[in-house]
Amino acid sequence: EAQVTQNPRYLITVTGKKLTVTCSQNMNHEYMSWYRQDPGLGLRQIYYSMNVEVTDKGDVPEGYKVSRKEKRNFPLILESPSPNQTSLYFCASRPYLSGSGPQHFGDGTRLSIL
Amino acid sequence: GQQVMQIPQYQHVQEGEDFTTYCNSSTTLSNIQWYKQRPGGHPVFLIQLVKSGEVKKQKRLTFQFGEAKKNSSLHITATQTTDVGTYFCAVTNFGNEKLTFGTGTRLTIIP
């Protein structure tokens, strides 16, 4: 089954404790991205990657890191999480079609930073 | 950066009534996509519009792309309880790989 898998689904942690949210897709998609969703603000793009070893900042990249060493994986790293990063996070992927094409989303990761 | 306004933010309708959400951009768009997110779920792609003035239909849903490619609408005819959720537009500018989402319209249905 074609899917985008995120882990963990839920995480409660404390300020400053490094964490990684994994994202994996089995559709051989070139393009992957991370979003955060906050009430009243919709989905805001954090980082995106057009292919292996190619990443770029989205609209809200501060406090986050990503890497794209393999085509299928695109982990999101919070080196020193803070409470303002408490949010619902979605990973998404699509084929690289020059700015178009449907994105497939994972089920989301709800992070709470205390 | 790209500004995308989506209105209304909330809409409550009686089951069977029609519903429309609007998406407006400050710049000319390459294309626009629409997504639906059910409560507790993830966004699911509905459709993509590319051409100026394009109109596409999916059963009771009608999607329009403005002539100037700066705005779009999603219209649902005779809403049903299965239409409950938040509808997002997502836009791409020419020469840019970023996809910018609108703030969404949350639709609730009164049975």
Side-chain angles (χ1 to χ4, degrees):
Chain A
E1 181 191 347
Q3 59 186 7
V4 178
T5 304
Q6 294 178 229
N7 279 297
R9 293 290 315 280
Y10 305 91
L11 180 63
I12 302 174
T13 188
V14 296
T15 299
K17 187 176 180 183
K18 181 179 178 180
L19 68 91
T20 299
V21 185
T22 63
C23 175
S24 180
Q25 51 94 4
N26 63 1
M27 295 168 278
N28 201 36
H29 286 166
E30 290 83 8
Y31 186 104
M32 297 185 74
S33 58
W34 276 102
Y35 297 87
R36 61 177 289 173
Q37 184 172 29
D38 302 289
L41 296 176
L43 290 128
R44 293 179 292 167
Q45 194 173 45
I46 303 170
Y47 270 95
Y48 63 97
S49 169
M50 290 188 281
N51 215 326
V52 175
E53 303 293 358
V54 180
T55 63
D56 211 343
K57 295 178 181 178
D59 293 314
V60 288
E62 295 77 20
Y64 304 95
K65 283 176 59 176
V66 292
S67 69
R68 189 89 183 275
K69 295 187 173 68
E70 303 164 286
K71 197 172 187 179
R72 63 182 292 126
N73 296 323
F74 191 44
L76 180 69
I77 303 155
L78 284 72
E79 294 268 3
S80 183
S82 62
N84 63 14
Q85 293 177 298
T86 292
S87 187
L88 176 59
Y89 291 84
F90 287 102
C91 179
S93 75
R94 65 167 170 81
Y96 179 67
L97 292 171
S98 189
S100 68
Q103 290 205 99
H104 301 259
F105 283 81
D107 287 335
T109 296
R110 189 167 291 279
L111 284 183
S112 293
I113 317 292
L114 304 177
Chain B
Q2 171 69 49
Q3 299 277 345
V4 183
M5 293 290 297
Q6 198 172 344
I7 55 171
Q9 191 173 357
Y10 302 95
Q11 186 82 57
H12 312 282
V13 300
Q14 290 273 355
E15 187 174 7
E17 290 182 342
D18 291 357
F19 159 77
T20 305
T21 174
Y22 300 91
C23 185
N24 296 296
S25 166
S26 56
T27 60
T28 303
L29 303 169
S30 170
N31 62 73
I32 189 164
Q33 298 176 355
W34 285 93
Y35 290 79
K36 176 184 178 181
Q37 184 177 23
R38 293 183 187 274
H42 59 267
V44 174
F45 174 82
L46 294 176
I47 209 156
Q48 176 169 290
L49 304 171
V50 180
K51 298 176 185 173
S52 167
E54 190 170 14
V55 178
K56 287 188 176 180
K57 294 193 175 187
Q58 289 179 350
K59 298 182 180 178
R60 293 177 295 104
L61 278 62
T62 302
F63 304 85
Q64 272 191 291
F65 202 5
E67 294 288 343
K69 298 185 73 173
K70 287 187 174 182
N71 56 67
S72 179
S73 65
L74 157 59
H75 179 82
I76 302 178
T77 303
T79 54
Q80 300 174 358
T81 54
T82 53
D83 295 324
V84 164
T86 301
Y87 293 83
F88 292 97
C89 63
V91 305
T92 306
N93 287 323
F94 290 99
N96 193 328
E97 296 300 331
K98 282 199 321 185
L99 187 67
T100 301
F101 279 77
T103 50
T105 296
R106 180 184 289 181
L107 173 64
T108 55
I109 308 287
I110 306 164

